[in-house]
Amino acid sequence: MKDFKGKIAFITGGASGAGLGQAKVFAKAGMKVAIADVRLDALHSAVSEIMEYSGCKAADVLPLCFDLTDRAAYTSAADTVEKVFGGPPHLLIQTAGVNSFGPIEASTFDDFDWVMGVCLDHVVNGLVIFVPRMIKAYGGADGVAREEFHVACTSSMGGFIAGSGCGPYCAAKAAANNLMYSYADALAPYGGGSTVLCPGNINSNIGDAEKYRPEHLRNTGYHVSEGTMAHLRSVHSSGIDPIELGEILKEAIENGRIIALPFSDPETWGPMLRNSNAQVEEYLLTAPERQKKREERMAEMMKNRPAGGGPGGWEVPEGAERFGMARKDLDYVDPSKKPQ
Ligand code: NAI
């Protein structure tokens, strides 16, 4: 996506930190911006900040206050955007997130439900709610959109590593990374794109997230206090500026990058990423027996396959139905799509 002027953006977590930086950047690029967040006061001041930074009109910023894990509320916010801005977003950026640090073995269900709910479930919610609307409104064929459209998500470098001190967060971010790759693949035939932004440290307010953890998810296994939040704030104060991060995301979207790694210090991350890949590689290389057995089994299967497909193959056998297709009434889905 290269042309932002007059188009619609929907940015979650847009009242603070990275989401607010993105809202400023895309409003300045001429987009109408809907910002979704759970904190009303922060939304109000964000609207003024966005207008001041971008010079846009009040009518071009739409604050929406709701909990992104609430699917009914998210659906009704999507309807509101269409009503107010005249269509679904061309650009969906899901950035809201929370974190809480503590030993994974001390984690409670509430710790998992809160962190994974915001960092992963809300991303799923937005994709399920908006992607069909975006394809119907803007999708084309053969990789060419009728109007440019793109989905993005702010994940984290935490998605690439195991984090025993913030396990639910890293698990959610790993899943979000993977999901955005699937959407990149899925949207390409319609001319849409997908980007996952993986920052390392952001100068934001995430260190205060515990303050608005919902009442029903407050049974944490971690030690949380004013002191621990102050410590986190000091860690995040050395992070990247949210506007600079927003510009990095914009550049990635403009250039059709699936992944953007703003904190790409190779000295720190190189060995960690190599290490986790090396474990997979080592397993593959040290398992020649297993591999040999698998090859023999496949060869046997291929030998016995009936003409036109059969066990172990992707071709549809004569007269049979292909698995992995969309339900027949979903007419916006490209009928030539095959399971990947
Ligand atoms: P932030 O706390 O400044 O902004 C997050 C926003 O999400 C807040 O305004 C908050 O009210 C909103 N939010 C949280 N739960 C919500 C819910 N259930 N419904 C609606 N809105 C909700 O934090 P920051 O750092 O800007 O976070 C943005 C994203 O960046 C998150 O996904 C975070 O995981 C990611 N990230 C942050 C890093 C950091 O060092 N701060 C590093 C890497 C990734």
Side-chain angles (χ1 to χ4, degrees), residues 13 15-19 36-39 66-69 95-98 118-119 154-157 169 173 199-202 204-206 212 236:
S16 173
D37 207 287
V38 76
R39 294 176 306 124
F66 64 100
D67 184 335
L68 289 150
T69 64
T95 291
V98 293
V118 183
C119 291
T154 304
S155 178
S156 167
M157 287 303 283
Y169 183 83
K173 297 296 187 180
N201 189 12
I202 308 170
S204 75
N205 299 307
I206 200 167
Y212 56 85
H236 290 301

Side-chain angles (χ1 to χ4, degrees), residues 67 69 97-101 108-121 168 206 208-214 216-218 220 222:
D67 184 335
T69 64
V98 293
N99 197 2
S100 193
F101 288 86
T108 61
F109 285 129
D110 283 7
D111 292 323
F112 272 98
D113 288 349
W114 180 48
V115 173
M116 296 191 82
V118 183
C119 291
L120 179 60
D121 295 353
I206 200 167
D208 285 333
E210 282 286 355
K211 289 185 180 163
Y212 56 85
R213 187 196 271 241
H216 67 285
L217 297 175
R218 279 193 177 262
T220 180
Y222 312 143

Side-chain angles (χ1 to χ4, degrees), residues 102-108 112 164-165 221-222:
I104 194 164
E105 66 274 26
S107 307
T108 61
F112 272 98
S164 67
Y222 312 143

Side-chain angles (χ1 to χ4, degrees), residues 7-15 19-20 22-24 26-27 30-37 43 46-47 50 56-66 68 74 76-95 130:
K7 305 269 173 63
I8 303 162
F10 187 100
I11 302 174
T12 72
L20 177 54
Q22 291 156 358
K24 288 176 179 173
F26 287 101
M31 297 193 89
K32 295 176 191 165
V33 177
I35 49 171
D37 207 287
L43 271 172
V47 170
I50 293 165
C56 73
K57 299 192 297 277
D60 290 339
V61 189
L62 176 64
L64 295 159
C65 191
F66 64 100
L68 289 150
Y74 204 154
S76 122
D79 294 341
T80 304
V81 173
E82 293 205 27
K83 213 179 294 162
V84 175
F85 284 159
H90 298 82
L91 176 58
L92 169 67
I93 308 177
Q94 302 207 89
T95 291
F130 276 126

